[in-house]
Amino acid sequence: MAYLFVNMAKGLFSVFIYVSLTGKLWYDLAKMIKLLSGNEALALGAYHAGVKIATAYPGTPSTEILESLARHDDIYAEWSTNEKVAMEVAMGAAYAGVRSLVSLKQVGLNVASDPFMAASTTGVNAGMVIICADDPGIHSSQNEQDNRHYARLAKVPMLEPSDSQEAYKLMAYAFDISEKFDTPVLVRVTTRISHSKSVVEVNQKRLAPARQANFHYAAKKYVMLPIHARLRHPLIEERLAKLAAYAETFTFNQALWGEHRLGIVTSGVAYQYAREAFPQASFLKLGMTYPLPQNLLLSFAAQVDRVIVIEELDPFLQENIQAMGIKVTGKEFIPAVGELNVDIIEKGGQRTGLLSETSPRHVEDTALNLPKRPPLLCPGCPHTGIFFTLSSIGQRSKPMKSRVKTPKESSLVITGDIGCYTLGTYPPLNAMDTCACMGASIGNALGMEKAGIAKKLVAIIGDSTFMHSGITGLVNAVYTKGQITIIILDNGTTAMTGHQEHPGTGISAQGKKTKAVELEQLVRGIGVSDVKVVDAFNMKQLRNAVKSALESPELSVIIARGACSVRVPTRSEPRAIDTEKCNLCGICLQLGCPAIQREKERVYIDTSMCVGAACTICQQICPRQAIDQQSKIEAAKSL
Amino acid sequence: MFVTGVGGQGIVLATDIIAEAALIAGYDVKKTDTLGMAQRGGSVVSHVRIGQRVCSPLIKKGDVDILVAFEKLEAARWCYYLRHGGIAIINNLALPPLSVNMGNERYPSDKEITDILKRQTDRIYFIDATRRARELGNIRTLNMFMLGTASVFVPLEVHAWEDGISQRLSPNIREINITAFRNGRKEMRSVHL
């Protein structure tokens, strides 16, 4: 057999040519089998459904949705400044009669909740879909929250796919439902759906956008004065009732019959786990989880001896089903905390007597007594220098041979924010005291100052996070005559989520040159007079800037600029340690640079990791001048 | 199959290729990665399940047929996922985490790692994959070499693997990676079996 794949049009329309043993040529354009992640499938589904405007702010696990959409030239895709703006741009497009999409992570919907609620109130003029990716298990978030509650709060329909195939198919329904019922639609996924790849049969072509953009005056629908909003509320209740009726026959709300002893109501990835744990049971698999199909649920419950709900995080389905008077259990034996898997569900099933304890699999968590491997700042990271500086000025580092477990009381309080730089929290840097949510560092530091903390206060925030929601915090600090020091770590990208553009970079989501918002001008424009821009790899500059800012009685901003080493891999001759000069003081190890390794009585630099001249931070801080280019050390020795 | 290692070793790409190969061979397949919050340096785990019909993308503990570890400590950390008598393929490479470099924790000895693995299985293969990749002239081909060694135990035809590699890699690095894959396959067959 010979297979040949020809990739056309940016890999999205791959033509599958298959020559079988009989030599028969089978050629099918309409049907394609692809391996797609949930995020890729959602993006392709939206594209085929005729989406014209797509907006997002990067956030794990949702980021790849907009990245995939941005590869199409025939739609408009943007990295918005933050999720609230993303939602507002998409609303505007939907008001103008064009299909729009917002993708965000669970905490992103918190940021965007104000316009989200407003969009529910006004309704739309063309399909508007919000894809919200929750993060059960907190793989990459600051909290664990179940955003299904938002559907109930906003009284909007919610769809949940259980694999990539459904993710692809559901997008077309989501846009249709949005238009049919005059409502934004929430498509809720989780990390395990977004970041799992599975087989997808792609069977559609892109639907041409139905209409040209066109906005008609309709103040009672779009201008939410109290008098108009009061008229909208009963319409929303009516809409919800109509949606509940629609849910009764919605294709993706399916009863899958097995034995009638046990009926399981489930949705999303939990369905896949439950199916494996209870292969014999009957299932009511819900593709629309708000509003719920009451009659379907009643009839399902009547046909089985016992009904249980298997769902990740909160008892959302369970409580809504109980409110219908149906006797169900679920959270009594399925945890409400963390990500589920087959093991957890089997254990729950055993606890409640639904499964016998027959699996003698020898499972022992060997991970417990092995050294942990937390993520680190990369070799050549522009954040390392500033954290080392703060750590040493604030006396936060623990000397290498010290047996003290916790870092001693620091002379600085450092409020942190969301980004790669949150990793500065870990030892040996220990350079962060708080990290709450996007943009919180500045407000947190100001609050501590106003509360009367006598120590010097430093707020750390990245460039993308500052654009996202640091600006308003800074305006507030200027207005209230705050005296804190704000350090903006400007690595020219949104690094943690995989290097997305932002307003400061001057490059669009689709890779085109656009207007850049100048960070320094912006900060000065807000009214900060003490602004310093320093090279993030120049230790002397950093130290002087931090010292003078801490001594200054007024609000000061330091912009520490240096490119992300992963994104700009400018490698040159790696540094090395001259073992004759090195006295094993361990100061270089305090950087936490993964390239600097220790082997009993020797400290050395892993040449495959060191970025060389672009960084040289270890070289600058070595008190014995023992670090230099390998060639120079050898040349000096041969003299 | 369960593939683990340290962020930056090319694990996600390796399991993408396994999944593509399974799809080409006509199987149902699901794969999923659990990455930490950052780009590099953390412990990375990737699950691939191949069969007639696959439900959960995550594999149950104690249910993995083949464990492929790109680093020794990670092999020990995750080997409890392996079923009894399953296959463990381990790159002979130690990347001590920062806590070990700082002197706060100790990297386990080869004997300790082997003892941990032996609680699950006797079918343990230590491979000098990093050295082989370096000999080939590109350390980044490590993942394809490891894939080659594992492919011996997976009932997929060679062409499916190589088509999977070709599909996922750009033409300029395709050849060297296919060579690395073949080398890995050969090494497992000739040296270890």
Side-chain angles (χ1 to χ4, degrees):
Chain A
M1 271 198 249
Y3 291 78
L4 176 67
F5 289 85
V6 183
N7 284 315
M8 288 168 57
K10 293 164 213 79
L12 273 159
F13 294 103
S14 56
V15 183
F16 184 39
I17 305 166
Y18 164 81
V19 188
S20 76
L21 280 173
T22 56
K24 187 182 144 207
L25 189 74
W26 180 79
Y27 187 92
D28 194 343
L29 254 177
K31 240 193 207 173
M32 286 181 289
I33 306 290
K34 290 165 143 312
L35 192 66
L36 296 179
S37 72
N39 282 347
E40 290 166 337
L42 289 163
L44 189 60
Y47 179 72
H48 283 169
V51 73
K52 202 173 162 191
I53 303 280
T55 63
Y57 179 81
T60 313
S62 70
T63 313
E64 300 83 1
I65 300 167
L66 193 103
E67 281 184 330
S68 302
L69 283 165
R71 292 188 193 115
H72 300 282
D73 291 332
D74 50 349
I75 66 169
Y76 171 81
E78 70 167 39
W79 290 122
S80 309
T81 310
N82 62 32
E83 294 87 349
K84 179 178 187 293
V85 175
M87 188 75 73
E88 288 154 355
V89 172
M91 270 165 86
Y95 288 174
V98 162
R99 286 190 164 186
S100 67
L101 176 81
V102 189
S103 50
L104 32 71
K105 67 179 293 178
Q106 94 276 23
V107 285
L109 189 51
N110 298 344
V111 177
S113 59
D114 203 7
F116 175 62
M117 295 302 289
S120 166
T121 311
T122 62
V124 294
N125 181 28
M128 176 176 173
V129 176
I130 299 108
I131 302 175
C132 175
D134 284 9
D135 188 20
I138 323 188
H139 296 281
S140 184
S141 298
Q142 67 266 38
N143 75 354
E144 191 168 55
Q145 82 180 33
D146 191 333
N147 275 17
R148 292 179 298 171
H149 297 292
Y150 269 113
R152 191 172 167 173
L153 180 69
K155 303 183 178 185
V156 299
M158 170 167 58
L159 308 181
E160 285 191 73
S162 73
D163 59 19
S164 299
Q165 178 71 72
E166 286 181 12
Y168 171 73
K169 283 190 181 166
L170 273 175
M171 287 310 290
Y173 284 92
F175 282 103
D176 287 346
I177 292 168
S178 172
E179 284 168 6
K180 189 170 175 199
F181 295 92
D182 189 11
T183 176
V185 172
L186 190 63
V187 173
R188 190 257 193 175
V189 289
T190 54
T191 303
R192 200 54 62 201
I193 295 292
S194 285
H195 285 177
S196 292
K197 288 194 173 179
S198 59
V199 183
V200 179
E201 189 183 312
V202 178
N203 53 7
Q204 294 168 32
K205 291 203 183 105
R206 177 160 161 83
L207 213 72
R211 280 171 288 174
Q212 289 296 309
N214 205 340
F215 182 75
H216 296 291
Y217 174 81
K220 282 184 184 165
K221 180 167 165 60
Y222 296 123
V223 184
M224 283 306 101
L225 285 165
I227 193 168
H228 295 160
R230 266 179 232 128
L231 296 174
R232 295 296 305 171
H233 192 181
L235 295 177
I236 293 168
E237 298 300 331
E238 245 174 67
R239 178 177 82 194
L240 203 53
K242 283 184 193 156
L243 281 161
Y246 175 83
E248 299 287 356
T249 55
F250 181 56
T251 330
F252 287 84
N253 287 342
Q254 294 170 289
L256 306 160
W257 294 106
E259 287 174 0
H260 289 249
R261 198 170 58 85
L262 177 67
I264 300 174
V265 181
T266 182
S267 69
V269 76
Y271 163 74
Q272 306 291 358
Y273 304 145
R275 183 97 214 181
E276 212 165 301
F278 296 96
Q280 314 297 332
S282 292
F283 281 85
L284 181 59
K285 175 171 171 288
L286 297 172
M288 185 190 269
T289 44
Y290 197 79
L292 290 174
Q294 183 158 356
N295 293 330
L296 191 60
L297 280 155
L298 283 166
S299 123
F300 179 76
Q303 293 176 68
V304 293
D305 300 342
R306 182 177 172 184
V307 188
I308 63 167
V309 174
I310 295 180
E311 57 188 323
E312 230 165 19
L313 300 181
D314 294 344
F316 178 83
L317 295 176
Q318 188 178 349
E319 286 175 1
N320 280 296
I321 294 167
Q322 279 167 338
M324 295 169 183
I326 300 172
K327 192 169 169 273
V328 290
T329 53
K331 285 297 152 187
E332 290 77 2
F333 48 89
I334 302 291
V337 173
E339 186 180 18
L340 292 183
N341 58 40
V342 180
D343 290 304
I344 294 172
I345 292 171
E346 281 182 346
K347 230 171 258 166
Q350 287 161 5
R351 275 225 311 277
T352 191
L354 289 167
L355 289 174
S356 53
E357 292 189 44
T358 49
S359 58
R361 281 179 295 122
H362 173 72
V363 174
E364 193 178 341
D365 199 334
T366 46
L368 294 173
N369 35 24
L370 294 169
K372 306 255 180 318
R373 195 189 295 278
L376 300 168
L377 293 175
C378 304
C381 175
H383 305 329
T384 302
I386 193 80
F387 283 131
F388 179 82
T389 305
L390 289 169
S391 192
S392 60
I393 290 177
Q395 296 171 343
R396 303 173 70 100
S397 316
K398 180 173 65 130
M400 199 167 123
K401 286 181 180 137
S402 149
R403 293 265 162 247
V404 191
K405 282 279 177 207
T406 47
K408 65 177 172 183
E409 196 65 22
S410 162
S411 62
L412 289 176
V413 177
I414 304 168
T415 60
D417 225 300
I418 309 278
C420 288
Y421 48 94
T422 317
L423 297 173
T425 309
Y426 288 121
L429 294 164
N430 297 313
M432 204 162 281
D433 291 302
T434 68
C435 167
C437 63
M438 291 287 289
S441 58
I442 301 175
N444 285 171
L446 187 80
M448 289 192 185
E449 180 200 316
K450 299 297 180 195
I453 295 291
K455 288 178 184 175
K456 297 283 182 190
L457 288 149
V458 179
I460 299 270
I461 187 165
D463 50 343
S464 185
T465 309
F466 181 74
M467 292 291 179
H468 177 281
S469 49
I471 299 168
T472 45
L474 182 59
V475 171
N476 187 62
V478 169
Y479 170 58
T480 57
K481 288 186 157 178
Q483 297 176 354
I484 57 175
T485 295
I486 296 156
I487 302 177
I488 304 175
L489 305 175
D490 183 10
N491 62 358
T493 185
T494 315
M496 175 122 114
T497 44
H499 304 103
Q500 290 75 31
E501 305 297 340
H502 65 71
T505 69
I507 308 286
S508 75
Q510 297 182 309
K512 306 223 163 63
K513 208 168 157 39
T514 178
K515 204 168 162 61
V517 175
E518 297 293 340
L519 205 48
E520 195 184 338
Q521 278 181 29
L522 177 62
V523 171
R524 285 193 194 281
I526 289 171
V528 183
S529 45
D530 184 1
V531 185
K532 286 187 197 72
V533 181
V534 295
D535 176 356
F537 294 105
N538 185 325
M539 296 304 284
K540 207 170 262 175
Q541 258 190 35
L542 282 179
R543 199 171 179 86
N544 291 340
V546 171
K547 279 200 149 168
S548 99
L550 291 176
E551 280 156 19
S552 158
E554 58 175 322
L555 184 76
S556 47
V557 173
I558 299 170
I559 300 172
R561 191 162 283 157
C564 173
S565 63
V566 178
R567 195 178 203 208
V568 190
T570 43
R571 273 162 208 283
S572 53
E573 190 185 350
R575 303 295 111 156
I577 297 176
D578 185 340
T579 45
E580 282 166 24
K581 285 188 188 168
C582 175
N583 66 347
L584 297 172
C585 69
I587 287 185
C588 57
L589 286 166
Q590 297 291 341
L591 289 170
C593 174
I596 306 176
Q597 309 262 337
R598 195 175 75 149
E599 203 181 55
K600 285 180 188 133
E601 289 309 302
R602 187 173 78 104
V603 178
Y604 67 98
I605 295 174
D606 182 333
T607 50
S608 68
M609 285 202 241
C610 177
V611 301
C615 173
T616 73
I617 289 177
C618 58
Q619 189 176 350
Q620 295 171 54
I621 62 160
C622 177
R624 308 268 300 175
Q625 279 93 46
I627 304 177
D628 207 333
Q629 283 151 269
Q630 177 84 49
S631 56
K632 282 197 183 162
I633 291 175
E634 276 163 18
K637 273 187 196 161
S638 63
L639 278 178
Chain B
M1 278 173 86
F2 188 98
V3 184
T4 180
V6 178
Q9 286 189 308
I11 290 150
V12 173
L13 178 65
T15 48
D16 271 356
I17 288 169
I18 300 172
E20 290 286 355
L23 179 64
I24 290 168
Y27 288 100
D28 188 17
V29 60
K30 281 188 182 167
K31 78 143 258 184
T32 189
D33 313 311
T34 53
L35 302 159
M37 59 185 272
Q39 302 267 320
R40 303 267 157 124
S43 169
V44 173
V45 161
S46 190
H47 301 233
V48 193
R49 300 186 76 199
I50 302 168
Q52 293 309 318
R53 188 188 162 197
V54 180
C55 284
S56 163
L58 292 167
I59 314 173
K60 286 200 286 189
K61 288 166 192 161
D63 222 19
V64 166
D65 294 312
I66 306 169
L67 170 84
V68 184
F70 286 34
E71 200 269 352
K72 287 191 285 191
L73 174 60
E74 297 311 310
R77 192 190 309 285
W78 296 105
C79 75
Y80 67 99
Y81 266 86
L82 201 58
R83 71 172 161 80
H84 265 288
I87 292 156
I89 303 171
I90 300 133
N91 181 20
N92 227 332
L93 172 75
L95 293 174
L98 191 67
S99 58
V100 172
N101 283 330
M102 296 295 299
N104 299 330
E105 286 184 287
R106 194 178 60 79
Y107 196 93
S109 70
D110 281 2
K111 185 178 178 306
E112 285 169 308
I113 289 172
T114 311
D115 286 347
I116 293 170
L117 286 160
K118 278 208 168 141
R119 286 193 282 182
Q120 302 296 126
T121 186
D122 290 326
R123 300 169 77 187
I124 304 166
Y125 304 99
F126 280 97
I127 310 279
D128 287 323
T130 299
R131 207 177 75 205
R132 295 276 178 271
R134 203 171 278 143
E135 281 166 7
L136 190 63
N138 186 347
I139 184 87
R140 302 193 71 81
T141 59
L142 162 70
N143 54 358
M144 292 307 114
F145 187 90
M146 290 297 287
L147 214 57
T149 60
S151 71
V152 173
F153 302 101
V154 185
L156 297 179
E157 287 184 42
V158 181
H159 79 81
W161 290 102
E162 295 188 356
D163 287 354
I165 296 171
S166 304
Q167 221 171 299
R168 284 304 310 263
L169 296 178
S170 59
N172 56 326
I173 52 167
R174 216 170 265 166
E175 203 178 316
I176 190 167
N177 276 287
I178 288 182
T179 308
F181 173 82
R182 287 179 183 164
N183 290 351
R185 211 173 151 84
K186 207 159 76 192
E187 172 137 337
M188 180 55 84
R189 281 241 164 84
S190 58
V191 182
H192 300 277
L193 294 180

